[in-house]
Amino acid sequence: MKPSPGFTLIEVLIAMAITALVATLSFASLSSTLDSVEGLRSQGERISELNRAWVLLTRDINQFVARPVRNEYGSVESSMFGGAAADQSLSFTRGGWHNTDQRTRSNLQRVRYLLEDTTLWRESYRVLDRSSDSEPQRVALFEGVISFEMAFLNSGTELREGDFDTENWQIAWGSAEGNGQAGGPEALELRLELEDWGEVRWLYEIPHI
């Protein structure tokens, strides 16, 4: 009987080399795909967090009420107080605080937005006029923030549609001594510098209630 032809050693080595090359290329492609999926998931979560912060800020600012408060030091704090004079934080009184549990309290609420380390926080108080033992409720909104700045357009100044030049706007508004602007500005610009996306700007027209 005639013996069956087999593979030479060189042919076997070539086949093994081709198999290893295909496996390496397949693994690299799969790894790249998984990295892309993970990157997209992380970016999606980041966008959701930023959108959540924007929704909360927008809701609060759109319900601004010109009601000053008394702070924990006994001084009258302007209805809106923020910017360079407030350590780049923003405090103001808002309406529309829903009373779902029917407690005896106002529907107005004092809120504050501030940057600590690289995290943007929202603080809110259960009472408008605070005492020394008034503690805020704190919610971390967004991480990876380098700076949180704002600019204010003077009341009575016309806000022109499409005009986003805020270079000459004020960098501070109100005071914690009761001698600042009584109401709110005509408009407010918030600027966040993010570690990954650079600068984000939000512009709001302030209601006068």
Side-chain angles (χ1 to χ4, degrees):
M1 181 180 292
K2 189 176 181 179
S4 301
F7 295 103
T8 66
L9 178 59
I10 293 178
E11 291 174 329
V12 171
L13 291 176
I14 292 174
M16 291 177 63
I18 293 174
T19 302
L21 178 60
V22 171
T24 300
L25 293 176
S26 299
F27 177 78
S29 177
L30 177 61
S31 178
S32 178
T33 301
L34 292 175
D35 288 343
S36 298
V37 170
E38 179 63 23
L40 289 173
R41 185 187 65 81
S42 299
Q43 289 293 316
E45 292 177 353
R46 185 80 167 148
I47 292 172
S48 295
E49 290 172 359
L50 182 61
N51 187 61
R52 174 172 172 260
W54 174 78
V55 167
L56 283 173
L57 268 162
T58 301
R59 181 201 64 185
D60 286 345
I61 292 172
N62 285 343
Q63 297 183 94
F64 167 76
V65 176
R67 200 287 198 179
V69 299
R70 192 170 297 278
N71 62 27
E72 56 269 32
Y73 305 108
S75 300
V76 176
E77 193 173 285
S78 302
S79 53
M80 180 174 285
F81 177 40
D87 295 327
Q88 292 304 132
S89 67
L90 178 67
S91 303
F92 57 93
T93 306
R94 57 157 291 217
W97 185 20
H98 296 298
N99 192 0
T100 54
D101 51 4
Q102 300 300 311
R103 294 186 180 183
T104 304
R105 62 163 175 80
S106 172
N107 69 333
L108 303 180
Q109 185 183 41
R110 191 69 172 184
V111 296
R112 182 183 183 219
Y113 288 88
L114 69 155
L115 181 63
E116 285 187 357
D117 296 327
T118 59
T119 301
L120 181 66
W121 291 83
R122 180 186 186 269
E123 295 183 345
S124 60
Y125 291 87
R126 293 185 178 276
V127 295
L128 286 173
D129 300 312
R130 307 190 294 272
S131 60
S132 58
D133 60 350
S134 297
E135 293 291 335
Q137 293 181 306
R138 309 188 83 212
V139 177
L141 297 181
F142 198 67
E143 297 179 350
V145 182
I146 298 174
S147 66
F148 176 50
E149 298 177 345
M150 55 214 73
F152 306 86
L153 179 64
N154 270 331
S155 298
T157 305
E158 182 181 358
L159 179 63
R160 298 176 181 177
E161 185 176 354
D163 184 5
F164 302 111
D165 183 10
T166 61
E167 183 178 349
N168 295 321
W169 290 18
Q170 295 181 206
I171 61 172
W173 191 269
S175 81
E177 306 299 331
N179 56 3
Q181 296 93 334
E186 197 69 32
L188 164 67
E189 182 194 50
L190 299 178
R191 295 188 294 266
L192 280 73
E193 185 179 354
L194 310 180
E195 292 177 346
D196 46 1
W197 294 341
E199 186 179 71
V200 175
R201 299 172 64 193
W202 295 326
L203 186 64
Y204 299 96
E205 186 173 2
I206 303 300
H208 294 277
I209 300 175

